[in-house]
């Protein structure tokens, strides 16, 4: 049984969604604030984190960054429907996906399944040769990426995104194609998810992220990896 950590200060929301997710077959640990959430995560055994951005003791962004500093576990942030800025900031803090309030349990469960399925597909993927572009080396068999010989820390979503670019080096990939292949069919139509992850990936693999030479933007279409 896969274990979820749900960090949410609203008791009613936390209880209702926890029960719904347990009905979907997940084990759910709960935390009402960021401090307790980080402590619960440190106990180990968490497969995915659900994180509200509005917490009483510390911001969800701080919690997200703290989790990312120690783990590549998938993170889904929960934000108010109108908080576009918060949503983008949460993704750039390290989250893999987001849902908006009021949360629809079936939609949330579908997103969790999709993220966990892709994690398992990556973990069990067959061996493949290393790929080189610039001073970046992608070693799929080991699940690592090196820049100038030094290992860099990518989340599993960032790793899958880089693999997708490497599989189609030189070709233009639209945002919809990347959404379908990296996140799943449920996410078609939300290009902000792709843009935020490309920005994060550039911060880690580009010498000058504001003037990218590896993953370049094709205006009005998507992105292309220069091999």
């Amino acid at each position: 049984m896969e274990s979820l950590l749900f960090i949410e200060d609203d008791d009613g929301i936390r209880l209702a969604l926890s029960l719904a997710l347990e009905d979907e077959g997940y084990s759910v640990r709960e935390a009402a604030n960021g401090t307790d959430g980080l402590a619960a995560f440190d106990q180990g055994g968490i497969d995915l984190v659900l994180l509200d951005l509005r917490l009483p003791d510390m911001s969800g962004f701080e919690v997200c960054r703290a989790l990312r500093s120690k783990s590549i576990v998938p993170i889904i942030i929960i934000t108010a429907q109108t908080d576009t800025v918060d949503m983008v900031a949460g993704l750039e803090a390290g989250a893999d996906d987001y849902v908006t309030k009021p949360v629809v349990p079936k939609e949330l469960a579908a997103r969790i399944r999709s993220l966990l399925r892709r994690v398992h597909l990556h973990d069990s993927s067959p061996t493949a040769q290393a790929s080189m572009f610039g001073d970046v080396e992608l070693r799929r068999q080991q699940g690592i990426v090196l820049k100038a010989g030094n290992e860099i820390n990518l989340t599993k979503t960032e790793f899958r995104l880089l693999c997708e670019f490497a599989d189609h080096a030189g070709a233009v990939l639209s945002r919809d194609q990347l959404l379908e292949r990296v996140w799943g069919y449920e996410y078609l139509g939300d290009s902000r998810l792709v843009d935020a992850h490309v920005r994060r990936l550039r911060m880690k693999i580009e010498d000058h992220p504001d003037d990218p030479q590896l993953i370049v933007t094709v205006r009005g279409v998507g992105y292309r990896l220069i091999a």
Side-chain angles (χ1 to χ4, degrees), residues 203-223:
M203 292 293 293
K204 297 179 180 181
I205 69 171
E206 298 276 2
D207 291 330
H208 305 286
D210 292 333
D211 182 26
Q213 302 300 308
L214 295 175
I215 300 176
V216 299
T217 301
V218 180
R219 193 172 301 279
V221 182
Y223 299 97

Side-chain angles (χ1 to χ4, degrees), residues 43-92:
Q43 293 174 9
I46 299 297
D47 296 298
L48 183 144
V49 176
L50 300 170
L51 174 62
D52 184 28
L53 290 179
R54 302 297 184 185
L55 298 171
D57 59 337
M58 58 195 300
S59 77
F61 307 111
E62 292 177 89
V63 176
C64 192
R65 284 190 287 267
L67 291 171
R68 273 291 162 257
S69 71
K70 66 181 81 176
S71 173
I72 57 173
V73 66
I75 300 172
I76 299 177
I77 55 172
I78 300 173
T79 181
Q81 198 158 15
T82 56
D83 287 345
T84 300
V85 173
D86 278 359
M87 180 273 293
V88 172
L91 292 173
E92 293 184 344

Side-chain angles (χ1 to χ4, degrees), residues 124-130 140-142:
S124 60
S125 60
T127 61
Q129 292 183 336
R140 303 181 201 222
Q141 181 176 352
Q142 298 167 273

Side-chain angles (χ1 to χ4, degrees), residues 98-100 102-112 186-187:
Y98 74 96
V99 293
T100 57
V103 179
V104 179
K106 288 293 184 183
E107 177 189 350
L108 177 59
R111 288 176 181 250
I112 291 171
E186 301 98 318
Y187 305 102

Side-chain angles (χ1 to χ4, degrees), residues 172-178 217-223:
V172 178
L173 295 175
S174 71
R175 290 173 175 83
D176 281 352
Q177 285 174 317
L178 291 168
T217 301
V218 180
R219 193 172 301 279
V221 182
Y223 299 97

Side-chain angles (χ1 to χ4, degrees), residues 95-161:
D96 297 274
D97 198 3
Y98 74 96
V99 293
T100 57
K101 294 179 179 180
V103 179
V104 179
K106 288 293 184 183
E107 177 189 350
L108 177 59
R111 288 176 181 250
I112 291 171
R113 281 195 301 273
S114 181
L115 269 180
L116 290 176
R117 181 170 64 248
R118 280 159 176 76
V119 167
H120 296 325
L121 283 173
H122 163 58
D123 288 343
S124 60
S125 60
T127 61
Q129 292 183 336
S131 302
M132 287 289 301
F133 22 94
D135 64 351
V136 175
E137 181 180 3
L138 169 62
R139 296 183 181 177
R140 303 181 201 222
Q141 181 176 352
Q142 298 167 273
I144 63 174
V145 177
L146 306 176
K147 179 171 176 61
N150 298 311
E151 185 175 349
I152 57 177
N153 185 33
L154 299 184
T155 68
K156 292 190 177 183
T157 300
E158 291 164 353
F159 187 86
R160 290 196 306 274
L161 183 60

